[in-house]
Amino acid sequence: MRKYIIPLIVLLFYHNLTFATWSIIMIDPKTNEIGIAGASCTFNCYGIGTIIPNVGAVIVQAMSNKQARQKGVQLMLVNARPEQIIQAMREPIFDPERQQYAVVTIKYIDSPGAYTGDSTKNYNGSLTARGISVQGNTLANANEIKMVLDAVLKGKNERLSIAETLMTALEVGSDAGGDRRCGEQRAASAFIIVAKPNSRKPYLDLNVFGQEKGGQNAVTMLHKKFEKWKRKHEL
């Protein structure tokens, strides 16, 4: 398996210090595809997550910590349970109270793990369901996380692709208020990544970053990229 995993892990570890406001992990239990998506009012939130094809995904956000994320990856590779992984990432060395963690794995798809540190900013929190974790901080309102989760569950129930579901859920988060620091802009950076089992790289990997405050909504820009990607791939 490792020959497939290493390139993807390297790709998603590229950014060292990253931040995020709302994000999603989703696993399709029928295809074992794994996707992550997120958005923020910070310059670039692309590096908050790591996908391990055919295993699972981990997100470390708010004050994202590369070492905590690496610890999560190490434990996923030995099939640790999500709650065990979360507990390990809560070691004081990782400064967990300023972070949010999410872990979803194929083996333990019924038991996603999530944690929100005491020092992350309101509105904050996380919600999980089978194969899904949604988390956010510095949000515009307290209902945002539930609205994003509801959008993911709706896409799943309507049998939309994991890519379509993640994109729609990001937009729902934006429409619900997004990152409160961005005001009407909602987000200055956003990304979506989806990988198939045993893939050497994600088949979908889109990123928008560096939008000036008060400029275009990064989620709207990401949606335009996504529609272009769909046309190219005839989806």
Side-chain angles (χ1 to χ4, degrees):
M1 182 185 293
R2 290 179 183 273
K3 67 179 181 178
Y4 298 109
I5 292 170
I6 292 173
L8 188 56
I9 290 177
V10 170
L11 170 67
L12 298 184
F13 275 163
Y14 182 77
H15 299 283
N16 188 12
L17 184 60
T18 48
F19 308 84
T21 305
W22 75 98
S23 66
I24 309 154
I25 299 175
M26 181 179 180
I27 294 177
D28 185 329
K30 293 183 178 180
T31 66
N32 282 350
E33 290 180 38
I34 303 171
I36 58 175
S40 178
C41 199
T42 56
F43 182 83
N44 193 355
C45 62
Y46 180 77
I48 62 169
T50 299
I51 295 173
I52 305 176
N54 215 31
V55 177
V58 56
I59 280 179
V60 179
Q61 68 178 34
M63 183 64 73
S64 189
N65 183 294
K66 178 181 177 181
Q67 287 70 38
R69 200 164 62 252
Q70 288 174 324
K71 184 68 174 180
V73 167
Q74 291 169 4
L75 290 173
M76 279 196 296
L77 287 171
V78 296
N79 290 317
R81 298 184 66 89
E83 62 265 29
Q84 295 173 318
I85 298 171
I86 296 290
Q87 191 60 40
M89 293 194 296
R90 289 183 62 187
E91 290 293 326
I93 190 173
F94 300 130
D95 195 16
E97 298 312 315
R98 295 201 296 162
Q99 297 163 41
Q100 284 187 300
Y101 301 143
V103 178
V104 185
T105 66
I106 292 173
K107 184 172 182 179
Y108 302 107
I109 197 167
D110 290 320
S111 304
Y115 177 73
T116 296
D118 290 342
S119 297
T120 58
K121 296 181 179 180
N122 283 331
Y123 294 100
N124 61 2
S126 61
L127 292 171
T128 62
R130 186 173 189 265
I132 301 164
S133 183
V134 175
Q135 43 285 325
N137 63 87
T138 326
L139 300 173
N141 66 78
N143 296 322
E144 200 168 323
I145 297 170
K146 184 178 185 305
M147 293 175 71
V148 174
L149 176 61
D150 287 347
V152 176
L153 293 173
K154 181 180 179 182
K156 184 177 179 181
N157 290 337
E158 293 179 354
R159 298 183 179 180
L160 297 180
S161 70
I162 190 170
E164 287 276 10
T165 300
L166 287 171
M167 188 66 249
T168 299
L170 271 189
E171 291 182 286
V172 167
S174 174
D175 292 342
D179 187 325
R180 62 181 173 83
R181 295 168 295 182
C182 261
E184 291 301 314
Q185 182 187 11
R186 308 301 170 92
S189 61
F191 73 91
I192 180 170
I193 305 168
V194 184
K196 294 181 182 293
N198 300 324
S199 58
R200 293 185 62 85
K201 62 180 182 179
Y203 72 84
L204 172 62
D205 186 356
L206 302 176
N207 185 27
V208 173
F209 64 94
Q211 299 306 301
E212 294 184 0
K213 297 291 179 67
Q216 294 187 66
N217 182 345
V219 174
T220 301
M221 297 175 69
L222 185 69
H223 182 248
K224 291 178 180 178
K225 280 191 171 185
F226 180 67
E227 290 298 321
K228 183 177 180 180
W229 176 86
K230 285 200 304 179
R231 290 192 297 270
K232 181 178 180 181
H233 293 82
E234 298 181 347
L235 297 179

mmCIF file of all heavy atoms in Angstrom, residues 163-193:
data_model
loop_
_atom_site.group_PDB
_atom_site.id
_atom_site.type_symbol
_atom_site.label_atom_id
_atom_site.label_comp_id
_atom_site.label_asym_id
_atom_site.label_seq_id
_atom_site.Cartn_x
_atom_site.Cartn_y
_atom_site.Cartn_z
ATOM 1 N N ALA A 163 -17.636 14.272 -4.701
ATOM 2 C CA ALA A 163 -17.138 15.583 -5.122
ATOM 3 C C ALA A 163 -18.264 16.616 -5.133
ATOM 4 O O ALA A 163 -18.114 17.734 -4.621
ATOM 5 C CB ALA A 163 -16.501 15.478 -6.508
ATOM 6 N N GLU A 164 -19.398 16.258 -5.731
ATOM 7 C CA GLU A 164 -20.552 17.167 -5.772
ATOM 8 C C GLU A 164 -21.038 17.487 -4.357
ATOM 9 O O GLU A 164 -21.380 18.629 -4.044
ATOM 10 C CB GLU A 164 -21.690 16.540 -6.574
ATOM 11 C CG GLU A 164 -21.465 16.508 -8.064
ATOM 12 C CD GLU A 164 -21.859 17.817 -8.736
ATOM 13 O OE1 GLU A 164 -22.121 18.806 -8.023
ATOM 14 O OE2 GLU A 164 -21.897 17.839 -9.984
ATOM 15 N N THR A 165 -21.066 16.478 -3.516
ATOM 16 C CA THR A 165 -21.545 16.675 -2.149
ATOM 17 C C THR A 165 -20.652 17.633 -1.384
ATOM 18 O O THR A 165 -21.137 18.553 -0.709
ATOM 19 C CB THR A 165 -21.617 15.322 -1.418
ATOM 20 O OG1 THR A 165 -22.522 14.461 -2.117
ATOM 21 C CG2 THR A 165 -22.094 15.505 0.010
ATOM 22 N N LEU A 166 -19.351 17.453 -1.483
ATOM 23 C CA LEU A 166 -18.416 18.334 -0.771
ATOM 24 C C LEU A 166 -18.510 19.764 -1.280
ATOM 25 O O LEU A 166 -18.504 20.721 -0.490
ATOM 26 C CB LEU A 166 -16.988 17.811 -0.923
ATOM 27 C CG LEU A 166 -16.644 16.549 -0.133
ATOM 28 C CD1 LEU A 166 -15.278 16.024 -0.546
ATOM 29 C CD2 LEU A 166 -16.673 16.814 1.366
ATOM 30 N N MET A 167 -18.600 19.932 -2.590
ATOM 31 C CA MET A 167 -18.675 21.284 -3.152
ATOM 32 C C MET A 167 -19.949 21.974 -2.696
ATOM 33 O O MET A 167 -19.932 23.154 -2.304
ATOM 34 C CB MET A 167 -18.600 21.213 -4.677
ATOM 35 C CG MET A 167 -18.473 22.561 -5.366
ATOM 36 S SD MET A 167 -16.906 23.422 -5.034
ATOM 37 C CE MET A 167 -17.466 24.808 -4.036
ATOM 38 N N THR A 168 -21.048 21.257 -2.739
ATOM 39 C CA THR A 168 -22.317 21.835 -2.310
ATOM 40 C C THR A 168 -22.285 22.203 -0.830
ATOM 41 O O THR A 168 -22.771 23.272 -0.427
ATOM 42 C CB THR A 168 -23.469 20.846 -2.569
ATOM 43 O OG1 THR A 168 -23.547 20.575 -3.969
ATOM 44 C CG2 THR A 168 -24.799 21.410 -2.101
ATOM 45 N N ALA A 169 -21.702 21.334 -0.011
ATOM 46 C CA ALA A 169 -21.638 21.597 1.424
ATOM 47 C C ALA A 169 -20.773 22.813 1.737
ATOM 48 O O ALA A 169 -21.097 23.599 2.641
ATOM 49 C CB ALA A 169 -21.111 20.366 2.151
ATOM 50 N N LEU A 170 -19.686 22.991 1.002
ATOM 51 C CA LEU A 170 -18.872 24.199 1.192
ATOM 52 C C LEU A 170 -19.687 25.446 0.880
ATOM 53 O O LEU A 170 -19.613 26.456 1.593
ATOM 54 C CB LEU A 170 -17.642 24.163 0.275
ATOM 55 C CG LEU A 170 -16.365 23.509 0.779
ATOM 56 C CD1 LEU A 170 -15.232 23.800 -0.207
ATOM 57 C CD2 LEU A 170 -15.976 23.994 2.162
ATOM 58 N N GLU A 171 -20.462 25.389 -0.175
ATOM 59 C CA GLU A 171 -21.291 26.534 -0.552
ATOM 60 C C GLU A 171 -22.368 26.816 0.491
ATOM 61 O O GLU A 171 -22.671 27.983 0.781
ATOM 62 C CB GLU A 171 -21.923 26.285 -1.916
ATOM 63 C CG GLU A 171 -20.926 26.302 -3.059
ATOM 64 C CD GLU A 171 -21.599 26.095 -4.389
ATOM 65 O OE1 GLU A 171 -22.002 24.956 -4.682
ATOM 66 O OE2 GLU A 171 -21.727 27.086 -5.128
ATOM 67 N N VAL A 172 -22.929 25.766 1.059
ATOM 68 C CA VAL A 172 -23.917 25.950 2.122
ATOM 69 C C VAL A 172 -23.278 26.666 3.309
ATOM 70 O O VAL A 172 -23.876 27.574 3.905
ATOM 71 C CB VAL A 172 -24.519 24.598 2.548
ATOM 72 C CG1 VAL A 172 -25.289 24.727 3.856
ATOM 73 C CG2 VAL A 172 -25.422 24.059 1.456
ATOM 74 N N GLY A 173 -22.058 26.282 3.654
ATOM 75 C CA GLY A 173 -21.350 26.969 4.730
ATOM 76 C C GLY A 173 -21.112 28.430 4.419
ATOM 77 O O GLY A 173 -21.241 29.301 5.284
ATOM 78 N N SER A 174 -20.777 28.702 3.173
ATOM 79 C CA SER A 174 -20.580 30.087 2.745
ATOM 80 C C SER A 174 -21.881 30.876 2.830
ATOM 81 O O SER A 174 -21.925 31.981 3.380
ATOM 82 C CB SER A 174 -20.037 30.108 1.314
ATOM 83 O OG SER A 174 -19.962 31.421 0.812
ATOM 84 N N ASP A 175 -22.957 30.301 2.308
ATOM 85 C CA ASP A 175 -24.253 30.977 2.331
ATOM 86 C C ASP A 175 -24.747 31.202 3.754
ATOM 87 O O ASP A 175 -25.476 32.168 4.026
ATOM 88 C CB ASP A 175 -25.292 30.163 1.562
ATOM 89 C CG ASP A 175 -25.014 30.118 0.061
ATOM 90 O OD1 ASP A 175 -24.239 30.971 -0.427
ATOM 91 O OD2 ASP A 175 -25.561 29.222 -0.614
ATOM 92 N N ALA A 176 -24.351 30.312 4.671
ATOM 93 C CA ALA A 176 -24.781 30.426 6.065
ATOM 94 C C ALA A 176 -23.999 31.491 6.832
ATOM 95 O O ALA A 176 -24.336 31.786 7.977
ATOM 96 C CB ALA A 176 -24.633 29.077 6.763
ATOM 97 N N GLY A 177 -22.946 32.043 6.222
ATOM 98 C CA GLY A 177 -22.168 33.094 6.881
ATOM 99 C C GLY A 177 -20.680 32.933 6.780
ATOM 100 O O GLY A 177 -19.931 33.907 6.908
ATOM 101 N N GLY A 178 -20.207 31.686 6.571
ATOM 102 C CA GLY A 178 -18.781 31.462 6.399
ATOM 103 C C GLY A 178 -17.955 31.919 7.590
ATOM 104 O O GLY A 178 -18.363 31.806 8.745
ATOM 105 N N ASP A 179 -16.795 32.444 7.297
ATOM 106 C CA ASP A 179 -15.856 32.945 8.294
ATOM 107 C C ASP A 179 -16.264 34.368 8.679
ATOM 108 O O ASP A 179 -16.327 35.254 7.825
ATOM 109 C CB ASP A 179 -14.451 32.929 7.683
ATOM 110 C CG ASP A 179 -13.348 33.269 8.662
ATOM 111 O OD1 ASP A 179 -13.576 34.108 9.563
ATOM 112 O OD2 ASP A 179 -12.240 32.723 8.514
ATOM 113 N N ARG A 180 -16.558 34.608 9.941
ATOM 114 C CA ARG A 180 -17.059 35.921 10.359
ATOM 115 C C ARG A 180 -16.042 37.035 10.144
ATOM 116 O O ARG A 180 -16.416 38.208 10.026
ATOM 117 C CB ARG A 180 -17.500 35.891 11.820
ATOM 118 C CG ARG A 180 -16.423 35.583 12.855
ATOM 119 C CD ARG A 180 -17.057 35.564 14.241
ATOM 120 N NE ARG A 180 -16.162 35.116 15.285
ATOM 121 C CZ ARG A 180 -15.275 35.891 15.907
ATOM 122 N NH1 ARG A 180 -15.186 37.169 15.573
ATOM 123 N NH2 ARG A 180 -14.502 35.400 16.853
ATOM 124 N N ARG A 181 -14.771 36.699 10.046
ATOM 125 C CA ARG A 181 -13.754 37.732 9.813
ATOM 126 C C ARG A 181 -13.837 38.304 8.408
ATOM 127 O O ARG A 181 -13.324 39.387 8.140
ATOM 128 C CB ARG A 181 -12.349 37.143 10.035
ATOM 129 C CG ARG A 181 -12.068 36.713 11.454
ATOM 130 C CD ARG A 181 -10.799 35.886 11.547
ATOM 131 N NE ARG A 181 -10.931 34.612 10.829
ATOM 132 C CZ ARG A 181 -9.981 33.693 10.796
ATOM 133 N NH1 ARG A 181 -8.838 33.885 11.435
ATOM 134 N NH2 ARG A 181 -10.168 32.562 10.129
ATOM 135 N N CYS A 182 -14.457 37.563 7.493
ATOM 136 C CA CYS A 182 -14.518 37.975 6.100
ATOM 137 C C CYS A 182 -15.766 38.780 5.766
ATOM 138 O O CYS A 182 -15.883 39.290 4.647
ATOM 139 C CB CYS A 182 -14.456 36.743 5.192
ATOM 140 S SG CYS A 182 -12.806 36.426 4.517
ATOM 141 N N GLY A 183 -16.719 38.854 6.693
ATOM 142 C CA GLY A 183 -17.944 39.580 6.391
ATOM 143 C C GLY A 183 -18.662 38.991 5.194
ATOM 144 O O GLY A 183 -18.782 37.779 5.052
ATOM 145 N N GLU A 184 -19.127 39.851 4.292
ATOM 146 C CA GLU A 184 -19.890 39.386 3.136
ATOM 147 C C GLU A 184 -19.051 38.594 2.137
ATOM 148 O O GLU A 184 -19.593 37.864 1.301
ATOM 149 C CB GLU A 184 -20.538 40.578 2.420
ATOM 150 C CG GLU A 184 -21.649 41.234 3.220
ATOM 151 C CD GLU A 184 -22.772 40.261 3.543
ATOM 152 O OE1 GLU A 184 -23.200 39.536 2.622
ATOM 153 O OE2 GLU A 184 -23.216 40.217 4.707
ATOM 154 N N GLN A 185 -17.744 38.709 2.227
ATOM 155 C CA GLN A 185 -16.881 37.924 1.334
ATOM 156 C C GLN A 185 -16.958 36.433 1.666
ATOM 157 O O GLN A 185 -16.806 35.587 0.791
ATOM 158 C CB GLN A 185 -15.436 38.407 1.442
ATOM 159 C CG GLN A 185 -14.470 37.687 0.512
ATOM 160 C CD GLN A 185 -13.020 38.084 0.766
ATOM 161 O OE1 GLN A 185 -12.710 38.738 1.766
ATOM 162 N NE2 GLN A 185 -12.133 37.705 -0.135
ATOM 163 N N ARG A 186 -17.079 36.119 2.922
ATOM 164 C CA ARG A 186 -17.265 34.759 3.450
ATOM 165 C C ARG A 186 -15.997 33.921 3.533
ATOM 166 O O ARG A 186 -15.810 33.180 4.482
ATOM 167 C CB ARG A 186 -18.331 33.980 2.670
ATOM 168 C CG ARG A 186 -19.668 34.724 2.523
ATOM 169 C CD ARG A 186 -20.293 35.054 3.868
ATOM 170 N NE ARG A 186 -21.421 35.954 3.786
ATOM 171 C CZ ARG A 186 -22.680 35.573 3.674
ATOM 172 N NH1 ARG A 186 -22.983 34.286 3.608
ATOM 173 N NH2 ARG A 186 -23.651 36.470 3.614
ATOM 174 N N ALA A 187 -15.106 33.982 2.529
ATOM 175 C CA ALA A 187 -13.875 33.177 2.544
ATOM 176 C C ALA A 187 -12.847 33.762 1.592
ATOM 177 O O ALA A 187 -13.192 34.238 0.513
ATOM 178 C CB ALA A 187 -14.163 31.733 2.167
ATOM 179 N N ALA A 188 -11.572 33.706 1.988
ATOM 180 C CA ALA A 188 -10.469 34.173 1.151
ATOM 181 C C ALA A 188 -9.673 33.010 0.566
ATOM 182 O O ALA A 188 -8.820 33.203 -0.298
ATOM 183 C CB ALA A 188 -9.540 35.082 1.957
ATOM 184 N N SER A 189 -9.931 31.797 1.053
ATOM 185 C CA SER A 189 -9.286 30.599 0.505
ATOM 186 C C SER A 189 -10.236 29.421 0.661
ATOM 187 O O SER A 189 -11.074 29.394 1.574
ATOM 188 C CB SER A 189 -7.954 30.308 1.205
ATOM 189 O OG SER A 189 -8.146 30.064 2.598
ATOM 190 N N ALA A 190 -10.098 28.446 -0.240
ATOM 191 C CA ALA A 190 -10.953 27.259 -0.195
ATOM 192 C C ALA A 190 -10.326 26.158 -1.032
ATOM 193 O O ALA A 190 -9.564 26.430 -1.968
ATOM 194 C CB ALA A 190 -12.358 27.582 -0.719
ATOM 195 N N PHE A 191 -10.651 24.902 -0.704
ATOM 196 C CA PHE A 191 -10.092 23.779 -1.459
ATOM 197 C C PHE A 191 -11.046 22.597 -1.414
ATOM 198 O O PHE A 191 -11.920 22.489 -0.543
ATOM 199 C CB PHE A 191 -8.735 23.361 -0.892
ATOM 200 C CG PHE A 191 -8.821 22.640 0.436
ATOM 201 C CD1 PHE A 191 -8.931 21.259 0.492
ATOM 202 C CD2 PHE A 191 -8.838 23.347 1.628
ATOM 203 C CE1 PHE A 191 -9.037 20.593 1.710
ATOM 204 C CE2 PHE A 191 -8.940 22.701 2.847
ATOM 205 C CZ PHE A 191 -9.035 21.320 2.894
ATOM 206 N N ILE A 192 -10.856 21.674 -2.348
ATOM 207 C CA ILE A 192 -11.552 20.396 -2.361
ATOM 208 C C ILE A 192 -10.615 19.352 -2.966
ATOM 209 O O ILE A 192 -9.979 19.597 -3.992
ATOM 210 C CB ILE A 192 -12.887 20.471 -3.143
ATOM 211 C CG1 ILE A 192 -13.609 19.124 -3.145
ATOM 212 C CG2 ILE A 192 -12.672 20.959 -4.560
ATOM 213 C CD1 ILE A 192 -15.020 19.204 -3.696
ATOM 214 N N ILE A 193 -10.508 18.198 -2.294
ATOM 215 C CA ILE A 193 -9.618 17.121 -2.734
ATOM 216 C C ILE A 193 -10.348 15.793 -2.565
ATOM 217 O O ILE A 193 -10.937 15.541 -1.506
ATOM 218 C CB ILE A 193 -8.315 17.083 -1.910
ATOM 219 C CG1 ILE A 193 -7.600 18.439 -1.950
ATOM 220 C CG2 ILE A 193 -7.385 15.980 -2.409
ATOM 221 C CD1 ILE A 193 -6.477 18.561 -0.938
#
